[in-house]
Amino acid sequence: MPTPPSPGYALVTGASSGIGADIAREYARRGKPLVLTARRVERLEALAAELSAQVPCVVIATDLADPAAPAKLFAETQARGLFVDTLVNNAGYGVPGRYLSADWKTHADSLQVLLTSVAHLTHLYLPAMEAAGRGRILNVASLAGLVPPTAGHTLYGATKAWLIRFSETLDQESRPRGVHVTALCPGMTYTEFHDVNGMREKVSKLPKGIWLSSADVARLGVDAVESGRTRLVTGRANKLIAGLSKYLPDRLARALLASKSKDFRDAD
C-alpha cells in the first residue's frame, strides 16, 4: 500500500452546527485538514469558508438517514484521494416523547443515523488507519448512555450506551495498531439539539452549572482522543452524576433520575 499523505483529513459528521461544527473549528485551530458532512449544505459551505484560511476544507453533503450514505461518502473521499485518519461520528438527534408517539420510519431513521451509520463508517475508514499505523475515531455519545433510563426519548440513551461500549471495545482492538477510539459523553450542552427536538423551554429551567458550551465540549473531546483516552465525561457536575449512577443502588438511582426527568425528557 502506498504511504498515505500526511497529515490526513478529519472527517466530521453532523458538522453543520453545535458540537460537530466546534469540533471542526478545534481541528482547524490545530492545523488539521477537514472533510465536513451533514444535510445542510449551506451551513457546511459557510463553515468551510470560515475555516479555509486555516486548513483545506472539503464539503460533502450527506444525509446519514439514508442507508446508502456511508458507502457514498466513503467512495467520494476515495475518488478525491483524501486519506481520512480521523473520523468524528457526531451526527445525531433525539426523538421526543414515548416510543409509540412516533411512527416506525422516524425511529428507523434515528437508528440509522445514531447507530448503523456509525458502525458502517467506522468499518469503511478504519482499515486504512490500521494499515497506516495511525488514526483517531471520536464517537460523540452522551451522559444519557451512562445513567439509568427514564421515560421518553426511548432510543436515544440506548443507542448512546451502545456507542460507548462499541467505542471501548473497538479501542482495545485497534490501539495495538495505532488507532485510538474515544467515546465523548457530554451532558447538557448549549447547541441547537434541544431546539430541534422541542425541549428548549424545559431544559432551560435546569441549573446553569451543569451546562457547557459546545466549544468547550469540542476542545475536551479532541484533547481526549488525541491523548488516547477511551472515555470522557465532560464537566464536573456530569462526572458526579455519572459516578452516582454507577455506585448508587440501581433502584435508588433510577428513582432519583425519574423524579427529575420531567425537566429534560418529554415522555408524552
Side-chain angles (χ1 to χ4, degrees):
M1 172 177 283
T3 302
S6 181
Y9 280 71
L11 168 59
V12 184
T13 73
S16 59
S17 65
I19 294 172
D22 279 320
I23 288 174
R25 292 185 178 100
E26 183 63 26
Y27 269 120
R29 188 181 67 80
R30 300 178 190 217
K32 187 79 172 170
L34 295 165
V35 178
L36 307 174
T37 187
R39 292 178 297 114
R40 296 177 290 187
V41 66
E42 297 85 0
R43 290 200 176 195
L44 292 177
E45 289 174 344
L47 181 61
E50 173 192 334
L51 301 179
S52 59
Q54 298 173 264
V55 294
C57 292
V58 176
V59 169
I60 304 174
T62 308
D63 183 358
L64 289 174
D66 177 1
K72 290 178 180 178
L73 178 58
F74 179 72
E76 183 67 21
T77 56
Q78 291 290 99
R80 299 189 188 203
L82 306 176
F83 172 54
V84 173
D85 68 352
T86 300
L87 173 61
V88 180
N89 288 307
N90 165 76
Y93 57 92
V95 178
R98 62 190 295 264
Y99 188 55
L100 294 181
S101 66
D103 61 26
W104 175 244
K105 177 63 164 58
T106 299
H107 288 312
D109 286 351
S110 74
L111 287 171
Q112 179 63 38
V113 173
L114 290 167
L115 194 156
T116 306
S117 73
V118 172
H120 195 177
L121 286 170
T122 301
H123 199 266
L124 290 167
Y125 284 102
L126 180 58
M129 296 183 199
E130 290 193 351
R134 74 174 199 266
R136 302 288 184 266
I137 299 176
L138 178 59
N139 292 324
V140 181
S142 171
L143 181 64
L146 295 170
V147 300
T150 60
H153 292 70
T154 320
L155 294 177
Y156 186 77
T159 56
K160 294 303 185 179
W162 171 86
L163 184 54
I164 293 166
R165 183 59 60 89
F166 172 67
S167 302
E168 292 172 341
T169 303
L170 195 66
D171 185 65
Q172 291 188 43
E173 294 176 0
S174 297
R175 184 177 291 261
R177 297 169 175 84
V179 180
H180 294 168
V181 184
T182 299
L184 174 62
C185 304
M188 293 297 176
T189 306
Y190 289 113
T191 69
E192 294 180 359
F193 180 89
H194 298 104
D195 299 308
V196 172
N197 67 20
M199 294 297 294
R200 173 61 59 194
E201 183 177 355
K202 280 192 174 184
V203 299
S204 295
K205 299 174 184 177
L206 293 171
K208 300 297 183 186
I210 69 172
W211 291 84
L212 289 179
S213 71
S214 61
D216 284 340
V217 169
R219 175 179 51 80
L220 292 168
V222 173
D223 282 345
V225 73
E226 292 299 325
S227 64
R229 294 188 64 172
T230 307
R231 183 202 295 180
L232 176 69
V233 178
T234 59
R236 292 181 180 178
N238 296 320
K239 287 182 172 67
L240 177 61
I241 293 168
L244 288 174
S245 299
K246 181 177 180 180
Y247 293 109
L248 283 176
D250 192 52
R251 188 173 179 179
L252 176 58
R254 284 202 311 269
L256 287 172
L257 196 60
S259 69
K260 297 294 184 181
S261 66
K262 64 181 181 299
D263 294 333
F264 58 90
R265 283 283 186 270
D266 181 359
D268 297 328

